[in-house]
Amino acid sequence: MKNELKSWKHVFKLDPDREIGDEALDRICMSGTDAIIVGGSSGVTYDNTVELLSRVRQYTVPAALEISNEEAVVPGFDLYFIPIVMNTSQGEWITGHHQRAVKEFSHMTPWDEMAAQGYVVLNPDSTVGKLTGAQTNLDAKDVAAYAQMAEHLFRMPVFYVEYSGTFGDMDIVRKARAQLSETRLFYGGGIDSAEKAELAAEAADTIVVGNIIYEDLERALETVPATRNGA
Ligand code: 1GP
């Protein structure tokens, strides 16, 4: 599955802490998206993650868990993403939580199913930005340098430009992607229409659509075909 993510163009991110009805979930899973990522910045528990996984598992779409809380690590996903925030000085978001989780689960850590994501968080008002103390006042060169580090120093499979909640600067995204050849650039944040999906898909390798699923399902679904136009 780690190799398969290299072909993902569009991903829906579902938050276990938010309600989604069966019909809406059916349409998301059958939409033609390349994968479902399960993750959120707050309120993610073992129980709500298991519940969402068991519902997503009724479909063939690949399911990945983005681990944000070591208490909510649920077996049975196709892939596990390990977020590492590159633009924070708070070490707990770089190696702290990770080291504690490995210490606890080292005997059963499925290393082959794990993929590190080098996150650069650029919306200071987002939950993840506040939580991680991200230093968001960065220009395109700053972000491009992080991209190079993700690929060449850390050999991360994913470099994730995260604007969660707001549509970001596609020039920054484009310039960061220009640095990458092996590492895949994920972009997420504020994609709430076909137009924005197209713009983001033109700048990034993979686009991640989250919040709009819960606000306007039809518009969320339109982002899937629009991604093919941008890519
Ligand atoms: C959040 O990048 C994702 O982690 C998607 O962002 O919720 O703003 O779509 P939105």
Side-chain angles (χ1 to χ4, degrees):
M1 188 56 64
K2 235 194 256 189
N3 274 332
E4 281 177 32
L5 75 84
K6 289 187 181 152
S7 65
W8 294 355
K9 304 246 178 258
H10 180 285
V11 170
F12 279 124
K13 191 184 278 194
L14 293 175
D15 185 341
D17 194 33
R18 297 179 82 170
E19 298 283 329
I20 183 163
D22 287 341
E23 196 195 324
L25 188 69
D26 182 78
R27 295 185 68 196
I28 289 291
C29 291
M30 299 295 285
S31 64
T33 188
D34 295 305
I36 303 290
I37 295 180
V38 171
S41 302
S42 64
V44 178
T45 65
Y46 189 87
D47 288 349
N48 60 24
T49 304
V50 167
E51 205 240 318
L52 186 54
L53 174 64
S54 68
R55 294 173 67 205
V56 170
R57 269 288 169 251
Q58 296 171 36
Y59 303 89
T60 55
V61 66
L65 178 64
E66 188 172 58
I67 299 175
S68 58
N69 168 2
E70 53 260 44
E71 257 126 65
V73 182
V74 170
F77 282 88
D78 299 304
L79 186 67
Y80 293 86
F81 282 122
I82 313 297
I84 290 166
V85 181
M86 301 182 82
N87 62 325
T88 180
S89 57
Q90 297 178 13
E92 63 186 304
W93 304 108
I94 308 169
T95 56
H97 288 281
H98 317 64
Q99 188 263 356
R100 284 197 294 280
V102 172
K103 192 173 161 194
E104 187 171 340
F105 298 114
S106 63
H107 55 293
M108 53 183 195
T109 304
W111 291 112
D112 290 344
E113 294 158 24
M114 297 204 154
Q117 298 165 310
Y119 259 78
V120 171
V121 179
L122 292 174
N123 177 4
D125 300 322
S126 61
T127 307
V128 62
K130 288 183 195 152
L131 185 70
T132 62
Q135 292 157 359
T136 57
N137 190 16
L138 303 178
D139 64 19
K141 281 191 174 171
D142 293 319
V143 179
Y146 279 125
Q148 290 178 72
M149 290 168 68
E151 173 153 323
H152 298 292
L153 279 184
F154 302 119
R155 308 209 182 276
M156 291 163 161
V158 174
F159 179 67
Y160 195 133
V161 180
E162 171 69 290
Y163 276 92
S164 179
T166 188
F167 194 67
D169 181 339
M170 290 304 116
D171 190 47
I172 287 184
V173 176
R174 207 172 290 113
K175 286 179 175 152
R177 186 174 63 164
Q179 302 298 328
L180 301 174
S181 50
E182 294 296 321
T183 298
R184 200 152 172 95
L185 193 144
F186 280 30
Y187 168 80
I191 299 173
D192 58 6
S193 65
E195 292 72 30
K196 285 184 190 148
E198 207 168 312
L199 287 171
E202 183 267 317
D205 295 313
T206 305
I207 67 164
V208 184
V209 176
N211 201 36
I212 192 69
I213 298 166
Y214 301 93
E215 291 184 348
D216 188 333
L217 182 65
E218 300 306 326
R219 280 176 55 180
L221 292 167
E222 285 169 12
T223 64
V224 181
T227 302
R228 319 271 173 237
N229 300 337

